Amino acid sequence: MQVRVGEEVFRSKEVLGEKCKGILYSYSLGQTVPGVHAAFLSDLLLRHSKAEIKIGVGVASFQIEQGVPVSTRCFWLTRIDGTRTYFSYTACVKGEDKMPEQKASMAFRDEIREQLIDFKHMAFSNPPVRCALTGVVVEPHTSHVDHVYELWRLRDDFLRGVQGSLSQISVQPWREGEHRILFADRTFAVSWAAYHQRHAVLRITSSGANLSR
């Protein structure tokens, strides 16, 4: 059965897996994945069952590093806020292409990425910063920006207000160097960003505490 990753079509998941393995062993440990291979990994990551969690506020770059266990190697990603995590390419190969509604849902986070980054910068301009859930002191690279009123609830409230639905939303095709999903309708994007700015209540949490929720 054919598998699509971005604009590439593979005749089977096995063939896709071989390409992923080839990229994984094409670079030295610690090396940042460049160019077209980085673009490919951006598309591949969308097939992961926990893509939204892995991507977080957005991916800045991909690296080749030791895995878990350390006797293996795997792909790591560095987010634009400096936090990092690893991901299994086999989980991506086994996954399924994101439906249009899933891509639209992810765009709701990607479109307000700058607001999350600005909030984090402001929070850490006056240290120490404590996790809102546990009270533990956190650093920028060990923390997340979390929505008190969940982002999906804000999204659904906004859609009700404009009488829209996820199935009606189109996203932009992939562009060179872009590591996020954006709305095709830029007027819609501006409206959503303004709505989020007015209504979102944000807080800083430790990475572990946030993911455990």
Side-chain angles (χ1 to χ4, degrees), residues 48-64:
H48 199 288
S49 62
K50 297 180 180 178
E52 189 166 359
I53 294 174
K54 295 290 184 181
I55 294 169
V57 296
V59 178
S61 59
F62 295 94
Q63 291 77 39
I64 308 296

Side-chain angles (χ1 to χ4, degrees), residues 130-162:
R130 295 184 179 274
C131 170
L133 299 175
T134 65
V136 173
V137 174
V138 294
E139 301 295 334
H141 66 282
T142 62
S143 62
H144 285 172
V145 177
D146 180 46
H147 287 77
V148 176
Y149 184 67
E150 292 96 329
L151 180 60
W152 69 267
R153 294 182 187 275
L154 281 174
R155 177 201 69 197
D156 288 354
D157 291 348
F158 173 75
L159 286 173
R160 279 192 291 270
V162 299

Side-chain angles (χ1 to χ4, degrees), residues 89-186:
Y89 77 79
T90 57
C92 299
V93 170
K94 292 177 181 177
E96 299 297 336
D97 290 326
K98 296 295 182 188
M99 299 296 289
E101 292 86 351
Q102 292 174 301
K103 290 184 179 180
S105 180
M106 294 177 74
F108 273 94
R109 175 176 289 275
D110 285 353
E111 289 284 1
I112 50 90
R113 177 190 296 176
E114 285 77 11
Q115 293 183 33
L116 304 185
I117 295 171
D118 288 346
F119 179 83
K120 192 169 192 178
H121 285 166
M122 184 177 298
F124 281 95
S125 67
N126 186 29
V129 178
R130 295 184 179 274
C131 170
L133 299 175
T134 65
V136 173
V137 174
V138 294
E139 301 295 334
H141 66 282
T142 62
S143 62
H144 285 172
V145 177
D146 180 46
H147 287 77
V148 176
Y149 184 67
E150 292 96 329
L151 180 60
W152 69 267
R153 294 182 187 275
L154 281 174
R155 177 201 69 197
D156 288 354
D157 291 348
F158 173 75
L159 286 173
R160 279 192 291 270
V162 299
Q163 297 183 330
S165 66
L166 285 176
S167 62
Q168 298 171 318
I169 299 171
S170 298
V171 299
Q172 294 181 2
W174 177 84
R175 294 180 299 177
E176 182 71 37
E178 186 62 79
H179 296 295
R180 58 181 177 171
I181 299 175
L182 300 176
F183 296 128
D185 185 339
R186 302 314 298 157

